[in-house]
Amino acid sequence: MRKWLLAAAGILALGISGASAQNYPTRNITLVIPFAAGGPTDTVGRLVAEAMSKSLGQQVIIENLAGAGGTRAAGQVAKATPDGYTLLLHHIGMSTAPTLYRKLAYNPLNDFEYVGLVTDAPMSLIARLNFEAKDLKGVLEYIAKNKEKTSYANAGIGSASHLCGMLFQAAVKQQLNTVNYNGTGPAMNDILGGHVDLMCDQTTNTTGQIKGGKVKAFAVTTKARVKNLPELPTMDQAGLAGFEVAVWHGIYAPKGTPKDVVAKLTDALQKALKDPKVIESFANLGTEPVPQDQATGAALVAKLKTEIEKWRPLIQSAGVYAD
Amino acid sequence: MLSVKNPKDFYAGVLLLCVVAVYALGLLDLRIGSLSRPGPGYFPLILTSLLFVFAVAILINGLRTKGEPIGAVPWRAMFFVTAPVIFFGATVKGLGFVPSLAITAIATCMGSTQWTWKSALLTALVLVFFSYIVFIWGLGLPVALCGSWLRSLFLSVGVPATSLNLCY
Amino acid sequence: MEFFSEIGANLSLGFSQALTPENLLYCFIGVFLGTAIGVLPGLGPIATIAMLLPITFKLEPISALIMLAGIYYGAQYGGSTTAILINLPGESGSVVTAIDGHQLAKKGKAGLALFTSAVGSFFAGTVATFLIVAFAPILAQAALSFAPADYFSLMLMGFVAAVVLAQGSLLKALAMIVLGLLIAMVGPNESGAPRFNFDSPEFSDGFDFVALSMGVFGLGEIIRNLEDEKTRQAIRSKWRDLIPTKAELKEMAAPILRGTALGSMLGILPGGGAMLGSFAAYSLEKRMSKNPQEFGKGALAGVAGPESANNAGAQTSFIPMLTLGIPSNPVMALMLGALIIHSIIPGPKVVTERPDLFWGVVTSMWIGNFMLLVLNLPLIGIWVKFLTIPYRLLFPAIVAMCCIGVYSVNNNPFDVFTMAACGVAGYILYKLDCEPAPLLLGFVIGRLMEDYFIRAMRLSFGDSSVFFTRPISLTLLIVSAVALILVLLPAIRKKREEAFAE
C-alpha cells in the first residue's frame, strides 16, 4: 500500500525540491492582490511581480481576490500555508482595516511575516472644472462659505480617496457632503460631468485628467512635490499645514514562513525596486520605489504600527465603519 | 371554501412570502434613514414591501383561478446535478483540481438514468484532460492540481516532501 | 468638407497601424482566443482578459490593446454562442439572447440563430466603429451630462424593459424583477454597511452574477432536461438550415438596424448603459413585432435585435475609456490598467498625444469584427454538430465546465455553492411558471439603481424633484411611463373582457 502511494505521489510530483530556502522557489509564487484587476494597486503589484520573477527564477503570478475592502484577501493569506508560495500585496488599507472592521478575522500585526515596503503613491486634490476656487486657499474659502453643501466624492468606504477625504475633513474641521461611489471610475465620471465638487485620489487615477485639462487640481498630498506634476504644490505649501497622506504598499507573507524564505523575498523585492523598468513605470504612475532601506520587513512593521495608530482616532471620530 | 385551484401560482406565492419573511428579518438590523439620507435599509424596505404585495396577489390568484398541476420532480437528476457541484466547491482546494473534478464528473454522470461506469470514467478522463489543458496550462488558473489534504496524507504515510511539489 | 477629410486622415492613420502584419496577427489571436474561451460556460471577457493580461506586457502598447479588444468582443460573441446552444448566458448581455436563441436551437434552427447573431454583431460593430471614428469626443462629452438622477431614471427604464420581456403572467414577472433587485441588495451598500448576511462572512459580499446565471439558467435547464430524458432526442439540425431564406433575411434586417441604434446610444454612457442595450432592444422588438406572442418561442427578431445592440454597446463602450479614461465596465478598467503598465497615462489626452494608438485600436475593432464573422460562419456547422452529442455525455461536461468557470471568477468556493443552490431555485421557478430572465435583469440593475438613487438624493439634499426637473431624467421617466402603460393596457383590457364574459 505504502509503495503504491509513494509511486502515485512520484507521478504527481514532477520536479525535485525541498522546502528549505536553498532551493526556494521551485514553483510559481502567487502574489494575492486584494482588489480587482486593472486598478492602481493591481498595477503596482503586476509591475513588482514581473521584476521579482526575474531574480527569483520563478514566475510570480497575480491572483486578484477582491472583496470586503481588501480584508477577504488578507484573511485568506493569513491562513495560507506559510511556505513562501502565497504572498499578499496590500496598501494603506492594511492599517485602517483593524479600525474600520470591528470584527476582523485576522490581526495585521500578528498574523504575517513582513517582506517590505514597495512604494508611497501620492494623492492629489482635484475638483470639477467649473469649480470657483483657483487654489487650495480658494477651496478652503469655498468650504467656509458653503459648509456641508460642498460635495466630496470617494471610491467607496475604505478606499484611498475615502481615507484622504476623512483626513481632509478633519483638517478643515468641516463635515462635507460625502458621496460614495463604487470605484474610482464612476466617481471620476461625476467630477468630469460637474455633478460633484471635490475628490482626493491617487495620482495614478488623476494625472491623465489633470494633464488633459478636464479637472482642476490644487495640490498633492505628499511631503515633497511630485515629479510628473511639478506645477502642483504640496498641501502643506498650499495652506493646509502638516497635511500629509500617501498610499503606501507593502508585501506580506503568512505567519510562520521560514525566515530565510522571507529574506530571499526581501532581497528579490529590493532588486525589483532597482529595476529600471519598474522605476520608469512607477514614475509614470507619479510615484517612485521606496529607498532600499525601506524595502525591509522591519520598515514595513514600523510603518504598519504608526499608521494603525494614525488612523484609529480619525476613523473613530468620523464614526464610519464598514461592518 | 378556499382550495388550491392553481398550485403553480399558490406555491409561487407561498415561496415568495417566505423570501419576504427572510428579508423582513434582515431588515430589523438596518437603518432605514430618510429621503435625504437614505440608509442601508431604505431601498430594501421599499422592495420587500413591493414583493409582499405581489406575493399576496399571486397567492390569491392561486386560490381563485384554475391552473395546471406542478408535475413530477426528477429527484435523481436534481441530486446528481447539485451534489457534485457542492462537492467540487468544497474540495477543489483540499483535494486539488484533478481529483476533485474527476469525482465531480463521475458523480454527475450518475444523474442520467442511462449511465454506465464505463462511460462515466471515460467522460471524467476526457474532461479532466481537457480542463487541465485549457484552464491550468492555457489560462494559468491558480489552483493546485493536488491539494493540501492529499499532501498531508502523503506526508503521513512517509512520502518525502521533496516529491510532493504539485501538492500544496 | 473639412470634417470628412479629417475622418479620412484619421482612418488612414488607423489602418496604417492596424494593418501591419504583426497587429493583424495579434488582432486575430485576440479574436480567436476570445471566442474559444468565451464559449466555455462561466468564462466571460473579464476572467479571460485578467488571465491573459500578463501575455500582453511583452507587446507594444498598440498591439496589446488591439489583442485585448479582440479578446473582449470575441469573448462576448463566444458567450452568445453558449447562450444559444445550451441556454447558458455568461454575462448580462446574453441573458436575452438565450431566451429566443435557445428556443430556436431546440427547434433545430441553431444554425440560423448563430448566423443571425454573427451577421447582426458584424453590422452593429461596423456602425459603432464608424460612430467612434466620427463622433467619439462629442459623444463622450454628451454622455458626461448624465447625472446620478438621470442614471436612476435610466435604470427605471431598464426595469420597465424587463417587464415587457416577460411572456407569461405580468404579476409574476414583476415579482421576479423585484426578487432580482432584492437578491442584489445582499452585500454592503454604498456606505459599507453589511446587509442580509445573517452574520455569515460568506454572504457579506453578495452574490456573483455568473454564479447566479449559471445556476438559474444552466443547472436549472439541465435538471429540467433530465425530467423527460427517455423521450428527449438529440437536436438535429441540417446544414442547409444555416443559410437563411429570403423571408428570414428580411425578418432580421429591421431588428438589426434598431438594435444597432439603441445599443450604440446606450453603450456610450459609462454608468452602465451598455448592459441595458440588449434587453431594451428585446423589449423594443417585442413591441414593434406584429406577432409578439412568438417572442419566447423562437422569434428571430428576439435574437437579431439584442445581439446587435449588445455588440454595438460593446464597441461604443470604448468611447468613454479611450477619450476620457473612464472605464464603463470591469473589462475597460482592465484595459486602462494595461495602458498604465505600458506607460501610457489614460485620459483625455490619449487621442491627441497618441493618435496612432487611438485610431489604430478603433480601426482594428472593425477588422476584428470582420475576422469574427469570417471565423465564425464556418464554425457554426461545428457548433451545431456539438448539439448532436448524446445528452447523457453532454450534461456532465456542462456541469463540470460551469464549476470551473464559476470558481475561476473569484477563486471562491462560495460562488460554486451559490450556483448549486441557484440550480435548484431555477428549477423550482421553472416548475412554478416563473421566468428567470426578469429575475436576472433585476439583479443586474439592482445595485446600480440603488446607488444612483442614493447619490442623486445626497447631491440634491433629499429633494426628489430632481428626477422631474432634469430634462434627461424627465424624458426617460416619460418614456418608461408610456412603455409601462402600453404593456399594462392589454392585460387590463383582457381582465375586463373576462369580467364581461362572466
Side-chain angles (χ1 to χ4, degrees):
Chain A
M1 183 66 192
R2 206 182 124 181
K3 250 185 190 164
W4 184 83
L5 273 173
L6 271 168
I11 293 165
L12 279 165
L14 291 171
I16 304 158
S17 80
S20 80
Q22 265 116 43
N23 309 334
Y24 172 88
T26 55
R27 57 179 163 88
N28 290 345
I29 299 164
T30 305
L31 179 63
V32 177
I33 307 279
F35 303 101
T41 312
D42 179 64
T43 310
V44 167
R46 284 178 194 270
L47 289 168
V48 174
E50 214 197 333
M52 280 175 77
S53 303
K54 281 185 211 157
S55 57
L56 286 169
Q58 286 285 348
Q59 279 299 312
V60 180
I61 294 172
I62 298 293
E63 183 179 344
N64 297 96
L65 262 180
T71 57
R72 180 175 154 233
Q76 286 209 9
V77 173
K79 280 185 286 175
T81 320
D83 54 6
Y85 291 100
T86 313
L87 307 173
L88 172 75
L89 184 138
H90 204 323
H91 68 16
I92 190 167
M94 197 73 171
S95 63
T96 52
T99 321
L100 274 174
Y101 293 82
R102 287 160 292 189
K103 285 179 280 188
L104 204 60
Y106 60 90
N107 182 344
L109 286 171
N110 245 335
D111 296 342
F112 295 94
E113 304 291 339
Y114 305 88
V115 177
L117 283 162
V118 179
T119 176
D120 286 339
M123 304 182 78
S124 56
L125 183 70
I126 59 167
R128 61 186 156 87
L129 201 55
N130 54 359
F131 192 71
E132 284 93 289
K134 282 206 307 284
D135 50 20
L136 187 64
K137 286 237 163 64
V139 176
L140 299 180
E141 280 161 23
Y142 181 91
I143 292 173
K145 200 168 79 204
N146 291 282
K147 303 213 181 319
E148 74 282 352
K149 296 268 173 198
T150 318
S151 52
Y152 176 87
N154 70 49
I157 300 296
S159 66
S161 47
H162 169 232
L163 299 175
C164 184
M166 220 158 22
L167 203 62
F168 184 71
Q169 293 179 52
V172 300
K173 298 187 183 66
Q174 172 64 55
Q175 282 272 1
L176 304 180
N177 182 23
T178 303
V179 188
N180 304 318
Y181 288 82
N182 192 6
T184 303
M188 187 60 85
N189 184 60
D190 276 9
I191 291 270
L192 292 190
H195 309 302
V196 62
D197 298 329
L198 295 168
M199 177 158 82
C200 165
D201 202 5
Q202 301 187 51
T203 47
T204 323
N205 296 323
T206 57
T207 305
Q209 306 300 344
I210 296 171
K211 298 220 169 196
K214 293 284 178 184
V215 298
K216 265 191 186 163
F218 304 111
V220 292
T221 62
T222 32
K223 208 175 253 166
R225 290 188 180 225
V226 173
K227 266 187 206 135
N228 66 345
L229 291 169
E231 66 284 5
L232 288 187
T234 68
M235 291 284 254
D236 185 83
Q237 293 163 348
L240 265 185
F243 188 98
E244 192 199 331
V245 57
V247 185
W248 55 273
H249 299 75
I251 296 182
Y252 307 80
K255 182 93 189 171
T257 305
K259 288 275 171 298
D260 43 356
V261 168
V262 176
K264 217 163 194 175
L265 286 168
T266 301
D267 183 56
L269 173 66
Q270 288 175 346
K271 281 196 184 117
L273 295 182
K274 279 190 286 194
D275 189 320
K277 200 193 157 208
V278 171
I279 295 172
E280 191 207 325
S281 308
F282 274 19
N284 281 311
L285 298 176
T287 177
E288 50 193 52
V290 296
Q292 291 283 309
D293 62 335
Q294 293 285 300
T296 59
L300 177 55
V301 180
K303 181 86 175 174
L304 189 59
K305 275 188 185 144
T306 49
E307 287 280 304
I308 290 177
E309 292 313 317
K310 171 181 171 181
W311 288 103
R312 183 180 293 130
L314 271 167
I315 295 168
Q316 281 172 346
S317 70
V320 186
Y321 297 100
D323 63 1
Chain B
M1 180 61 204
L2 282 176
S3 63
V4 179
K5 287 181 189 151
N6 185 345
K8 285 188 175 183
D9 277 17
F10 179 78
Y11 289 110
V14 172
L15 203 68
L16 290 174
L17 282 179
C18 295
V19 175
V20 169
V22 172
Y23 273 92
L25 203 67
L27 269 172
L28 292 178
D29 303 333
L30 296 179
R31 197 173 50 80
I32 305 299
S34 61
L35 195 58
S36 57
R37 290 255 134 190
Y42 195 88
F43 229 65
L45 177 69
I46 297 174
L47 295 174
T48 310
S49 322
L50 268 177
L51 190 64
F52 177 73
V53 174
F54 292 142
V56 170
I58 293 171
L59 190 93
I60 292 173
N61 249 353
L63 296 172
R64 285 181 43 220
T65 58
K66 273 223 167 66
E68 294 159 22
I70 289 176
V73 174
W75 294 109
R76 178 196 175 90
M78 187 120 87
F79 178 78
F80 282 109
V81 169
T82 49
V85 172
I86 295 171
F87 175 84
F88 180 82
T91 61
V92 64
K93 278 188 183 155
L95 285 180
F97 185 77
V98 171
S100 180
L101 185 68
I103 297 172
T104 302
I106 294 171
T108 314
C109 287
M110 297 179 185
S112 165
T113 47
Q114 301 152 14
W115 83 284
T116 56
W117 273 111
K118 206 177 125 192
S119 77
L121 286 173
L122 207 67
T123 311
L125 193 72
V126 173
L127 271 175
V128 168
F129 181 72
F130 175 80
S131 318
Y132 172 76
I133 298 286
V134 172
F135 292 99
I136 310 283
W137 184 80
L139 293 170
L141 186 72
V143 57
L145 290 181
C146 138
S148 51
W149 301 346
L150 289 180
R151 184 189 171 87
S152 1
L153 179 76
F154 287 140
L155 284 175
S156 70
V157 295
V159 181
T162 45
S163 53
L164 285 174
N165 239 343
L166 287 179
C167 297
Y168 49 90
Chain C
M1 233 12 246
E2 205 178 305
F3 177 71
F4 286 106
S5 66
E6 200 186 308
I7 290 181
N10 289 335
L11 277 181
S12 63
L13 173 66
F15 277 116
S16 72
Q17 292 294 323
L19 284 178
T20 64
E22 222 176 317
N23 286 340
L24 276 177
L25 178 71
Y26 287 122
C27 185
F28 179 77
I29 295 176
V31 167
F32 178 78
L33 279 180
T35 317
I37 298 168
V39 291
L40 296 171
L43 284 183
I46 305 173
T48 313
I49 292 185
M51 288 184 218
L52 297 179
L53 201 55
I55 303 176
T56 65
F57 292 170
K58 314 251 174 337
L59 308 179
E60 285 290 299
I62 179 163
S63 310
L65 219 59
I66 285 177
M67 185 168 140
L68 288 174
I71 295 174
Y72 174 51
Y73 44 77
Q76 209 146 32
Y77 182 83
S80 306
T81 307
T82 322
I84 290 171
L85 290 177
I86 50 179
N87 200 14
L88 257 183
E91 35 133 21
S92 52
S94 42
V95 169
V96 276
T97 309
I99 305 175
D100 278 87
H102 187 61
Q103 288 304 321
L104 278 169
K106 276 190 164 171
K107 286 185 187 167
K109 289 187 175 175
L112 179 63
L114 291 171
F115 177 88
T116 310
S117 158
V119 172
S121 294
F122 174 68
F123 179 80
T126 307
V127 173
T129 308
F130 179 77
L131 275 179
I132 300 177
V133 170
F135 306 112
I138 310 167
L139 290 175
Q141 206 56 44
L144 282 179
S145 53
F146 270 66
D150 305 323
Y151 272 113
F152 173 77
S153 301
L154 186 71
M155 293 302 140
L156 216 57
M157 202 174 85
F159 184 97
V160 174
V163 180
V164 180
L165 214 83
Q167 302 144 27
S169 149
L170 208 58
L171 197 57
K172 277 185 179 167
L174 281 168
M176 282 303 107
I177 302 170
V178 175
L179 181 60
L181 290 166
L182 271 173
I183 296 174
M185 295 295 119
V186 177
N189 84 329
E190 49 80 52
S191 70
R195 299 188 293 184
F196 307 109
N197 62 356
F198 299 99
D199 284 331
S200 146
E202 309 284 75
F203 286 93
S204 58
D205 265 320
F207 297 104
D208 185 79
F209 172 82
V210 178
L212 209 66
S213 172
M214 293 288 127
V216 171
F217 273 90
L219 297 191
E221 167 89 6
I222 289 173
I223 300 172
R224 186 173 145 182
N225 284 337
L226 290 173
E227 243 179 16
D228 48 358
E229 208 194 344
K230 294 215 176 68
T231 55
R232 191 190 147 86
Q233 287 170 344
I235 302 165
R236 299 261 164 226
S237 299
K238 281 183 224 101
W239 245 106
R240 57 160 303 275
D241 285 345
L242 171 59
I243 298 121
T245 61
K246 226 177 194 165
E248 283 164 345
L249 276 177
K250 219 172 147 191
E251 201 183 330
M252 67 177 83
I256 287 178
L257 277 172
R258 285 190 290 260
T260 302
L262 204 55
S264 305
M265 280 192 313
L266 287 169
I268 297 159
L269 301 172
M275 61 169 208
L276 290 180
S278 62
F279 58 106
Y282 188 92
S283 307
L284 181 71
E285 289 314 317
K286 198 174 172 182
R287 290 247 41 102
M288 302 284 285
S289 171
K290 288 195 195 84
N291 340 301
Q293 71 280 1
E294 277 291 302
F295 279 74
K297 298 188 187 97
L300 202 53
V303 178
E307 272 300 278
S308 312
N310 203 16
N311 201 39
Q315 310 286 321
T316 50
S317 62
F318 276 84
I319 292 181
M321 193 273 279
L322 287 172
T323 55
L324 298 172
I326 290 179
S328 47
N329 57 44
V331 176
M332 295 299 142
L334 269 172
M335 295 216 196
L336 286 183
L339 278 180
I340 293 173
I341 287 178
H342 281 107
S343 303
I344 294 168
I345 301 162
K349 277 190 125 171
V350 171
V351 191
T352 45
E353 278 179 359
R354 294 294 307 265
D356 56 325
L357 181 98
F358 182 86
W359 297 109
V361 170
V362 171
T363 44
S364 91
M365 281 163 36
W366 184 78
I367 298 170
N369 269 284
F370 183 69
M371 284 181 181
L372 260 186
L373 188 72
V374 176
L375 184 74
N376 278 293
L377 284 183
L379 273 181
I380 292 177
I382 299 171
W383 293 131
V384 172
K385 273 273 178 307
F386 180 74
L387 285 179
T388 57
I389 298 173
Y391 200 65
R392 70 191 159 82
L393 299 180
L394 192 56
F395 84 84
I398 299 176
V399 172
M401 291 292 126
C402 285
C403 285
I404 306 171
V406 166
Y407 179 75
S408 72
V409 177
N410 297 315
N411 299 317
N412 190 351
F414 178 70
D415 288 339
V416 184
F417 302 146
T418 307
M419 177 174 75
C422 288
V424 176
Y427 179 71
I428 294 174
L429 289 180
Y430 155 75
K431 275 289 188 190
L432 299 174
D433 280 348
C434 296
E435 293 163 61
L439 182 136
L440 268 142
L441 298 178
F443 177 76
V444 170
I445 56 177
R447 279 301 302 282
L448 287 173
M449 204 167 175
E450 186 193 22
D451 283 354
Y452 286 127
F453 178 75
I454 291 180
R455 275 174 220 156
M457 285 297 107
R458 283 273 165 89
L459 288 171
S460 72
F461 301 96
D463 179 4
S464 53
S465 72
V466 282
F467 297 116
F468 306 102
T469 49
R470 290 191 56 88
I472 301 175
S473 170
L474 183 66
T475 315
L476 289 168
L477 284 180
I478 292 173
V479 171
S480 320
V482 171
L484 194 63
I485 291 167
L486 284 176
V487 186
L488 292 175
L489 265 185
I492 295 167
R493 205 179 293 146
K494 211 169 113 197
K495 272 266 154 64
R496 212 187 273 154
E497 274 162 20
E498 274 169 15
F500 274 121
E502 274 175 30

